[in-house]
């Protein structure tokens, strides 16, 4: 599995066992929208791509099942849950205050290196959008936001936010590909960086929440318009 090449060391952390690393890679893939609602994960296929036995892959998948990021029914492959608009809204209601808090705390810890990393991620995000590389854009967007959240210095808060992104990532990724993107939308990241650079916690957190709510509004509109007509797409592993 080569997704780990795109995962910063800060996200891999001290995980050293094969099962832990596969688990981390799958978490990032789910948060970044590489999988879509209804996708099924083929453990044997993932193990082949990972060049390992099915056992550590199965352990990683079962951990994600326990966390609610995947669902497993007897006789079926693990599947990415399909969220209803109501379930998505409930998760969103919890995300907003937590991501606001993480941004406020991060503003107190801003460094030159952090600002440079955010600007680099924003450039990568914009380039991916312009190239219609939507999955890459989602991954850069996730990395951008968690660069901020990790700067809060509160590991419990960051992990909680990660768990919520884990639940919504597949849905956001599916809708993101079909959304009309405008240059003004991407400008929000730049505004967030400027607010962080000026050490303006309330402005930075308001912008982060605006970014979240703006995207969520479009997603909810599309979900309600489409209803439940979409068919699940077959998937086996995170792409290279």
């Amino acid at each position: 599995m080569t997704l780990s090449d795109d995962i910063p060391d800060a996200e891999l952390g001290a995980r050293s066992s094969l099962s832990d690393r596969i688990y981390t890679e799958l978490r990032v893939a789910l948060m970044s929208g590489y999988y879509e609602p209804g996708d099924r994960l083929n453990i044997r296929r993932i193990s082949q791509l990972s060049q390992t036995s099915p056992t550590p892959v199965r352990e990683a998948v079962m951990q994600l099942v326990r966390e609610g990021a995947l669902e497993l029914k007897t006789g079926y492959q693990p599947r990415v849950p399909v969220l209803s608009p109501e379930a998505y809204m409930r998760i969103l209601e919890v995300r907003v205050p937590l991501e606001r808090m993480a941004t406020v705390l991060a503003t107190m810890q801003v460094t030159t290196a952090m600002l440079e990393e955010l600007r680099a991620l924003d450039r990568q995000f914009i380039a991916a959008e312009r190239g219609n590389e939507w999955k890459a854009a989602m991954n850069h967007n996730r990395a951008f936001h968690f660069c901020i959240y990790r700067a809060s210095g509160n590991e419990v808060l960051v992990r909680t936010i990660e768990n919520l992104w884990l639940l919504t990532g597949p849905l956001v990724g599916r809708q993101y590909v079909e959304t009309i993107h405008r240059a003004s939308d991407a400008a929000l990241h730049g505004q967030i960086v400027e607010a962080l650079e000026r050490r303006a916690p309330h402005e930075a957190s308001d912008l982060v929440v605006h970014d979240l709510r703006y995207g969520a509004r479009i997603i909810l509109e599309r979900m309600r318009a489409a209803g439940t007509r979409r068919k699940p797409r077959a998937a086996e592993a995170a792409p290279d």
Side-chain angles (χ1 to χ4, degrees):
M1 189 174 296
T2 58
L3 181 61
S4 58
D5 295 338
D6 296 326
I7 306 176
D9 291 340
E11 294 187 58
L12 286 173
R15 295 180 180 275
S16 57
S17 78
L18 193 51
S19 176
D20 280 349
R21 292 186 70 85
I22 293 171
Y23 165 77
T24 301
E25 292 172 17
L26 288 174
R27 273 181 66 92
V28 171
L30 288 162
M31 286 191 288
S32 301
Y34 281 108
Y35 291 105
E36 296 181 6
D39 282 353
R40 298 187 184 278
L41 279 69
N42 186 310
I43 292 177
R44 186 170 298 279
R45 176 60 175 162
I46 296 175
S47 67
Q48 290 173 349
L49 293 174
S50 305
Q51 297 182 333
T52 184
S53 71
T55 299
V57 177
R58 188 175 294 108
E59 291 173 353
V61 165
M62 291 309 298
Q63 178 62 31
L64 290 166
V65 170
R66 288 191 289 271
E67 294 176 355
L70 298 174
E71 56 187 17
L72 181 61
K73 296 181 180 179
T74 304
Y76 291 89
Q77 294 175 329
R79 188 184 80 146
V80 178
V82 178
L83 289 180
S84 66
E86 293 73 24
Y88 177 59
M89 284 183 63
R90 287 193 292 270
I91 296 171
L92 188 69
E93 289 171 357
V94 179
R95 280 183 55 184
V96 166
L98 295 179
E99 293 182 40
R100 181 187 294 279
M101 182 191 305
T103 305
V104 169
L105 293 173
T107 310
M108 316 299 182
Q109 308 294 331
V110 172
T111 65
T112 300
M114 173 187 169
L115 294 172
E116 290 176 352
E117 181 178 359
L118 287 171
R119 290 191 177 101
L121 289 168
D122 188 32
R123 288 192 296 270
Q124 293 170 338
F125 168 73
I126 293 172
E129 278 209 330
R130 288 175 177 170
N132 294 330
E133 299 173 357
W134 306 118
K135 298 301 185 183
M138 278 280 295
N139 191 38
H140 295 315
N141 179 68
R142 175 198 57 79
F144 177 91
H145 281 275
F146 278 94
C147 178
I148 297 172
Y149 303 153
R150 287 196 304 273
S152 70
N154 188 320
E155 295 179 0
V156 175
L157 178 58
V158 174
R159 185 68 173 185
T160 303
I161 296 173
E162 281 184 353
N163 290 341
L164 295 170
W165 276 59
L166 193 60
L167 300 178
T168 59
L171 170 63
V172 174
R174 177 68 181 89
Q175 298 293 335
Y176 180 71
V177 172
E178 299 181 357
T179 299
I180 297 175
H181 302 275
R182 302 178 307 206
S184 58
D185 302 340
L188 269 173
H189 281 182
Q191 295 172 23
I192 293 170
V193 175
E194 290 175 2
L196 290 169
E197 187 172 25
R198 289 186 278 103
R199 310 296 198 276
H202 297 298
E203 181 182 350
S205 60
D206 282 347
L207 286 165
V208 166
V209 171
H210 176 65
D211 191 15
L212 171 58
R213 289 194 182 280
Y214 176 78
R217 177 175 58 80
I218 296 174
I219 289 170
L220 285 167
E221 288 174 355
R222 291 185 60 83
M223 289 178 71
R224 287 165 175 156
T228 58
R229 294 192 299 270
R230 192 182 73 83
K231 295 181 180 181
R233 172 178 64 87
E236 297 175 333
D240 291 351

